[in-house]
Amino acid sequence: MNERTNTVNNGVNVEALLDAREALTEAPEAGKFKWRATCTWLNGTHVSSSVEQFYGLGEEQSHRKKFTFDSDHPEIFASEDNGATPIEFVLVGLAGCLTAGIASVAQNREIQLNSVKATLEAGMDIAGILGIDSNVRNGFDGVKVHFEIDADASREDIEALVAQSQKRSAVYDIITNPTNAVVTVN
Amino acid sequence: MNERTNTVNNGVNVEALLDAREALTEAPEAGKFKWRATCTWLNGTHVSSSVEQFYGLGEEQSHRKKFTFDSDHPEIFASEDNGATPIEFVLVGLAGCLTAGIASVAQNREIQLNSVKATLEAGMDIAGILGIDSNVRNGFDGVKVHFEIDADASREDIEALVAQSQKRSAVYDIITNPTNAVVTVN
């Protein structure tokens, strides 16, 4: 690995992440996180969800502030469109995860990023959620993510950044692989 | 089915949804949607993502306004915590989808909801994303959703509402089943 020259600055503290990796290798329990959200129904398909507390590094943690999000269905579904559609939040999560990953990997590989833009598109046949055809799934039938990256690197190195980000992306993993989800009620 | 008395009002226009189901059964192409997001890298792990346009009912559609979300990593990951963590957006989407579904199903079954609250928790071992242990997945190792529902209905009917919402939830499907995702770069 090259000696770190500190001339590349993507705003990611890679040294801290490498230190964390070393620390967690010694103390694996600290790597066990719990992410949380709460949700309150407002009216119709309009709900308000918040994230603030989470658990990790062996103790309760908190964001600097509570982040609150309204979600709703659009007007063409006879709703009031008071927020993004729940399914769009999944795309927002995927975009954020892959893009943050690209910045982190670029920093580690000493590649200066100048700009990164992503466009995401996910197909969905609503015959599933409306119960018209039980052979049609409720969720996305596929997701396409396209990056436009301007970086001080070869095309090959930029492609490798994206590939590595995918390989370590939590949200990409959640979308492309099954996860057990248990739903209970009072 | 009971005659609709219009005394139950959860704010969901079920008649419109039933009409849509009938219309889409005749014209299945109209049910093919494309959901979209765009994302711009700001600095470090901080990105800004937006949703506004989507495609459905055979034409381009738009939300009433653009919804924009900052995502970032928390300070304990040596980031600036300028927004929710990407993975938390997945929980926000799941909460919104299941809760909107409960309201819709309750309306269709003529059950008055008084309040619905959900708490969500998802485990994740960051040994995955940090590349410490290749046997640890990057994403959630499981998701728990707990609803507290106050409704004018028996416990059994409330449980059936939740079960039906899960059965028709797009985001629940995305989390619990694999979806193909293709990532490309300029």
Side-chain angles (χ1 to χ4, degrees), chain A residues 122-125 137-143, chain B residues 32-34 179-180:
Chain A
M124 182 178 137
D125 185 341
R137 67 178 289 188
N138 298 315
F140 294 146
D141 55 29
V143 182
Chain B
K32 294 189 175 150
F33 276 61
K34 289 184 194 297
T179 301
N180 188 42

Side-chain angles (χ1 to χ4, degrees), chain A residues 10 21 31 33 35 37 39 44 63-64 81 88 118 120-122 124 126 138-139 145-147 167 173 182 184 186, chain B residues 10 31 33 35 37 39 44 63-64 81 88 118 120 122 124 126 138-139 145-147 155 167 173 182 184 186:
Chain A
N10 296 316
R21 180 158 72 182
F33 275 62
W35 299 102
C39 172
H63 283 289
R64 287 197 297 153
D81 201 19
E88 291 170 320
L120 295 88
E121 187 174 88
M124 182 178 137
I126 64 168
N138 298 315
V145 184
H146 183 69
F147 279 100
K167 191 176 166 192
D173 179 11
V182 175
T184 55
N186 21 339
Chain B
N10 296 318
F33 276 61
W35 300 102
C39 173
H63 284 289
R64 287 197 297 153
D81 201 19
E88 290 169 321
L120 295 88
M124 183 178 135
I126 64 168
N138 297 317
V145 184
H146 183 71
F147 280 100
R155 183 187 164 85
K167 192 177 165 189
D173 179 11
V182 175
T184 54
N186 13 341

Side-chain angles (χ1 to χ4, degrees), chain A residues 7-21:
Chain A
T7 53
V8 168
N9 184 7
N10 296 316
V12 177
N13 187 339
V14 163
E15 297 301 340
L17 293 175
L18 295 175
D19 288 350
R21 180 158 72 182

Side-chain angles (χ1 to χ4, degrees), chain B residues 105-181:
Chain B
V105 176
Q107 187 66 38
N108 193 36
R109 295 183 179 180
E110 298 185 352
I111 294 171
Q112 182 64 49
L113 296 177
N114 301 313
S115 69
V116 182
K117 286 185 182 291
T119 52
L120 295 88
E121 188 174 89
M124 183 178 135
D125 185 342
I126 64 168
I129 57 171
L130 288 174
I132 293 170
D133 183 346
S134 60
N135 292 317
V136 173
R137 67 177 288 189
N138 297 317
F140 294 146
D141 56 28
V143 182
K144 288 185 286 192
V145 184
H146 183 71
F147 280 100
E148 293 284 338
I149 299 178
D150 177 8
D152 300 342
S154 67
R155 183 187 164 85
E156 194 175 43
D157 285 348
I158 292 172
E159 286 172 351
L161 283 183
V162 175
Q164 182 64 19
S165 175
Q166 267 181 268
K167 192 177 165 189
R168 290 279 174 251
S169 166
V171 179
Y172 180 83
D173 179 11
I174 290 168
I175 290 172
T176 56
N177 293 300
T179 301
N180 188 42

Side-chain angles (χ1 to χ4, degrees), chain A residues 30-185:
Chain A
K32 294 188 175 149
F33 275 62
K34 289 184 191 301
W35 299 102
R36 303 189 185 116
T38 59
C39 172
T40 302
W41 173 63
L42 299 176
N43 187 50
T45 52
H46 182 199
V47 315
S48 173
S49 297
S50 296
V51 299
E52 185 174 24
Q53 309 292 325
F54 57 99
Y55 178 89
L57 308 185
E59 59 189 353
E60 289 297 320
Q61 305 284 350
S62 183
H63 283 289
R64 287 197 297 153
K65 59 172 200 156
K66 183 187 282 196
F67 299 108
T68 299
F69 306 99
D70 282 27
S71 67
D72 201 355
H73 288 176
E75 291 179 323
I76 57 164
F77 294 164
S79 285
E80 291 180 357
D81 201 19
N82 291 305
T85 307
I87 206 154
E88 291 170 320
F89 281 94
V90 177
L91 293 182
V92 167
L94 180 61
C97 199
L98 288 173
T99 306
I102 287 168
S104 301
V105 175
Q107 187 67 39
N108 194 36
R109 295 185 180 180
E110 299 186 351
I111 293 172
Q112 180 63 49
L113 296 177
N114 301 312
S115 70
V116 182
K117 287 187 180 291
T119 53
L120 295 88
E121 187 174 88
M124 182 178 137
D125 185 341
I126 64 168
I129 57 171
L130 287 174
I132 292 171
D133 183 347
S134 60
N135 292 317
V136 173
R137 67 178 289 188
N138 298 315
F140 294 146
D141 55 29
V143 182
K144 287 184 288 192
V145 184
H146 183 69
F147 279 100
E148 294 282 340
I149 300 178
D150 177 7
D152 300 342
S154 67
R155 183 188 165 85
E156 195 174 43
D157 285 348
I158 292 172
E159 285 172 354
L161 283 183
V162 174
Q164 182 64 19
S165 176
Q166 266 180 269
K167 191 176 166 192
R168 290 279 174 250
S169 166
V171 179
Y172 180 83
D173 179 11
I174 291 168
I175 290 173
T176 56
N177 294 298
T179 301
N180 188 42
V182 175
V183 183
T184 55
V185 57

Side-chain angles (χ1 to χ4, degrees), chain B residues 2-19:
Chain B
N2 297 329
E3 193 176 296
R4 289 179 186 277
T5 57
N6 292 320
T7 54
V8 168
N9 184 8
N10 296 318
V12 177
N13 187 340
V14 162
E15 297 301 340
L17 293 176
L18 295 175
D19 288 350

